Amino acid sequence: MTDTTARNEASTVVAKLSTLDRFLPVWIVAAMAAGLLLGRWIPGLNTAMEKVQIDGISLPIAVGLLIMMYPVLAKVRYDRLDSVTGDRKLLFSSLLLNWLIGPALMFALAWLLLPDLPEYRTGLIIVGLARCIAMVIIWNDLACGDREAAAVLVALNSLFQVLMFAVLGWFYLSVLPGWLGLEQTTISISPWQIAKSVLIFLGIPLLAGYLSRRVGERAKGRQWYESRFLPRVGPWALYGLLFTIVILFALQGDQITNRPLDVARIALPLLAYFALMWGGGYLLGAGLGLGYERTTTLAFTAAGNNFELAIAVAIATYGASSGQALAGVVGPLIEVPVLVGLVYVSLALRRRFTHSGTVDSVPSPTGERLESDR
């Protein structure tokens, strides 16, 4: 297929996408701007929203994340998960990237780029320890990654998060700095706090998605479920994403606009981290021959972080107004636009994964993927 033909096909398919899909970057930028303006112009808004909590969990953020994740997890074909659990290259690669390379890379970047800012440095190290179990689901879906693989890898991350977060926090904040003659600190976190985050932000939407598919297919059949039900619930993934972005930016709009230089200092290691983790995951997946969909899933699960857990740990240990908490908040504010950009980079690289007789799929988060023959 020539480049001209490929471009014509892409233009034709993109034209079929809904307005919500086609202008996704515009809506995300608008949501970020709206959040900043709300946080800046409405006195006491962030304080009021911070009070809407249940056992330390921000209710507005929880609602947004649950709405965002449910449609994507409802699309997962759970009868195909065994094909992922048997892919040892994918599973071992994910564990390597998430639990060995990721925390070590963030530790190195934090000390290299923020040697004079210990509070922000500690906050970033905590962000690096909190592996993603929420937003990565939607980034992966937007980039046409493997939904089943994403569900398995996120579940694997969740298990390791409960078991290893406190241990790695002790190692990277106390033990390793001590070995290197650097400043040491600690965190205060219980296994139940981590498990609670996992149960809320993954367990609830995962169970809802699984039950929806199981009940829907039994009652109406797979054809009805995928052609009628999923297109109806699909748009809510992006509605939830945009709502979450507005809330996140509104909560910290005042701090962000009042401390731009601090935000810029925090953003620099985060930008390097997201780019290196995503690029490393992509190169590793391609080198192992995982194919486009699973390579994409590996890259995004490596690059994303569980910002809700990181922020909760920072606030519980150091206080809501601490530099550690600010660093945790800046994490998702940088992650959202960067990973949206990487979604488009990933889609642009799809042509490198060409296989004769296969079909290209174009992302349509509000429904099933639109396909066109090569």
Side-chain angles (χ1 to χ4, degrees), residues 110-367:
W111 273 101
L112 179 65
L113 299 176
L114 300 174
D116 57 327
L117 298 170
E119 290 189 357
Y120 297 156
R121 183 178 65 237
T122 299
L124 286 182
I125 292 172
I126 293 173
V127 169
L129 298 175
R131 312 313 300 168
C132 194
I133 62 170
M135 278 195 174
V136 69
I137 295 286
I138 199 166
W139 305 138
N140 178 74
D141 205 55
L142 289 169
C144 290
D146 188 318
R147 288 171 184 154
E148 289 70 37
V152 170
L153 294 186
V154 165
L156 189 64
N157 271 347
S158 300
L159 175 63
F160 267 75
Q161 199 147 243
V162 173
L163 297 175
M164 298 301 298
F165 184 91
V167 175
L168 289 175
W170 167 72
F171 177 76
Y172 280 105
L173 292 175
S174 181
V175 177
L176 184 57
W179 290 349
L180 300 174
L182 303 172
E183 182 181 347
Q184 298 170 279
T185 186
T186 59
I187 59 171
S188 175
I189 184 71
S190 70
W192 164 240
Q193 287 176 284
I194 304 168
K196 179 176 64 176
S197 174
V198 169
L199 289 172
I200 293 174
F201 297 113
L202 177 62
I204 293 175
L206 184 61
L207 179 62
Y210 172 77
L211 291 177
S212 293
R213 179 171 282 277
R214 190 167 182 83
V215 173
E217 288 189 356
R218 280 190 173 183
K220 297 281 190 175
R222 176 164 288 186
Q223 176 64 27
W224 173 87
Y225 182 82
E226 296 192 344
S227 64
R228 300 290 296 277
F229 178 76
L230 289 182
R232 290 179 183 176
V233 302
W236 286 93
L238 295 187
Y239 299 153
L241 172 65
L242 296 176
F243 175 79
T244 304
I245 291 171
V246 170
I247 296 300
L248 280 171
F249 277 69
L251 282 170
Q252 296 295 330
D254 193 51
Q255 281 204 69
I256 293 167
T257 53
N258 285 331
R259 302 162 72 178
L261 292 180
D262 287 355
V263 171
R265 288 288 304 273
I266 297 169
L268 186 58
L270 284 168
L271 288 170
Y273 173 84
F274 292 135
L276 290 171
M277 288 300 294
W278 186 90
Y282 207 92
L283 290 173
L284 180 59
L288 292 174
L290 296 180
Y292 173 77
E293 291 191 348
R294 290 192 176 177
T295 293
T296 297
T297 301
L298 181 65
F300 279 101
T301 51
N305 293 90
N306 184 352
F307 63 84
E308 180 66 21
L309 175 60
I311 294 170
V313 170
I315 290 175
T317 305
Y318 304 102
S321 60
S322 65
Q324 291 89 340
L326 177 61
V329 169
V330 173
L333 306 188
I334 302 301
E335 178 179 332
V336 168
V338 170
L339 293 192
V340 168
L342 290 174
V343 165
Y344 287 90
V345 172
S346 184
L347 291 170
L349 292 173
R350 290 173 69 239
R351 293 289 173 182
R352 295 184 178 274
F353 292 82
T354 54
H355 300 281
S356 178
T358 59
V359 176
D360 270 340
S361 59
V362 176
S364 178
T366 57

Side-chain angles (χ1 to χ4, degrees), residues 59-138:
L59 189 57
I61 292 177
V63 169
L65 288 175
L66 293 177
I67 292 173
M68 176 189 76
M69 291 180 68
Y70 165 69
V72 181
L73 290 171
K75 295 176 184 178
V76 172
R77 291 184 175 179
Y78 293 92
D79 56 349
R80 295 183 178 178
L81 293 184
D82 57 343
S83 69
V84 180
T85 56
D87 189 341
R88 293 187 177 182
K89 290 191 295 184
L90 175 66
L91 298 182
F92 288 148
S93 297
S94 180
L95 290 176
L96 173 68
L97 289 167
N98 278 288
W99 297 103
L100 289 178
I101 295 177
L105 177 62
M106 187 67 91
F107 175 87
L109 289 171
W111 273 101
L112 179 65
L113 299 176
L114 300 174
D116 57 327
L117 298 170
E119 290 189 357
Y120 297 156
R121 183 178 65 237
T122 299
L124 286 182
I125 292 172
I126 293 173
V127 169
L129 298 175
R131 312 313 300 168
C132 194
I133 62 170
M135 278 195 174
V136 69
I137 295 286
I138 199 166

